Amino acid sequence: MSTHWNWQTGERLLALNDPAEWDAAFERGERSLGTAAIGLAFNCSLEEASPRIVRAMQLPDVAQRGFAFTAAGTAARLNGALTPELYAALRAEGPGRRSIAVNAIDDTLTFVPFRRLPTWLKCWSVVSRVRNKLDAWRLNCTYAATDTWRAVRRR
């Protein structure tokens, strides 16, 4: 067992490069497993990191689960792809704006080529772009109306 990882504070866990150490910490019920999953995403192959990231996504601690989703986004950035298990975990969490997975999904849409995305994520990409465009139009109309109202009131 390595003694240079501080599981209580999370210190040095972003440098974690040993999947077996993560597995042992998971069995011991250590804290900061989500933080360590980010380290695995940085320092290990996607195939090695993926099952641990998926397990971290199911942790009871919401903050550590959030870090696990950050690890998924990091994996997408670094590899230009995700494993089927990671795509399934992102889909299970849901792509909505209030989802804990929203940033990981955004990173995936940004860094994974569209043709390599699963069908559900391609559809979400289109829905998301349309929604963003509609929001931009709505805001432009709101600003125009507000500016017009202010101009009329000053007369």
Side-chain angles (χ1 to χ4, degrees), residues 54-128:
V54 170
R55 276 196 276 172
M57 289 175 169
Q58 299 163 0
L59 292 169
D61 181 346
V62 174
Q64 289 304 311
R65 282 184 34 230
F67 289 138
F69 285 98
T70 299
T74 300
R77 284 174 181 253
L78 295 174
N79 299 291
L82 291 177
T83 62
E85 295 80 20
L86 281 171
Y87 283 125
L90 291 177
R91 185 175 189 182
E93 198 61 43
R97 290 180 178 166
R98 295 175 192 236
S99 170
I100 194 171
V102 68
N103 292 329
I105 289 173
D106 286 347
D107 284 348
T108 302
L109 292 174
T110 301
F111 294 101
V112 176
F114 187 81
R115 69 186 175 281
R116 294 176 65 188
L117 294 172
T119 303
W120 73 269
L121 202 46
K122 288 178 182 178
C123 291
W124 176 250
S125 174
V126 172
V127 166
S128 169

Side-chain angles (χ1 to χ4, degrees), residues 12-94:
R12 295 206 21 85
L13 291 178
L14 291 179
L16 184 68
N17 60 1
D18 183 3
E21 176 64 26
W22 193 95
D23 293 339
F26 183 82
E27 293 302 319
R28 293 190 308 267
E30 295 284 2
R31 298 177 55 183
S32 303
L33 289 164
T35 305
I38 297 171
L40 292 176
F42 275 125
N43 301 303
C44 296
S45 71
L46 181 59
E47 292 72 26
E48 289 177 313
S50 177
R52 285 128 185 123
I53 294 170
V54 170
R55 276 196 276 172
M57 289 175 169
Q58 299 163 0
L59 292 169
D61 181 346
V62 174
Q64 289 304 311
R65 282 184 34 230
F67 289 138
F69 285 98
T70 299
T74 300
R77 284 174 181 253
L78 295 174
N79 299 291
L82 291 177
T83 62
E85 295 80 20
L86 281 171
Y87 283 125
L90 291 177
R91 185 175 189 182
E93 198 61 43

Side-chain angles (χ1 to χ4, degrees), residues 3 6 60 71 77 83 99 119 140 142-143:
T3 58
N6 189 332
R77 284 174 181 253
T83 62
S99 170
T119 303
N140 283 335
T142 301
Y143 295 149

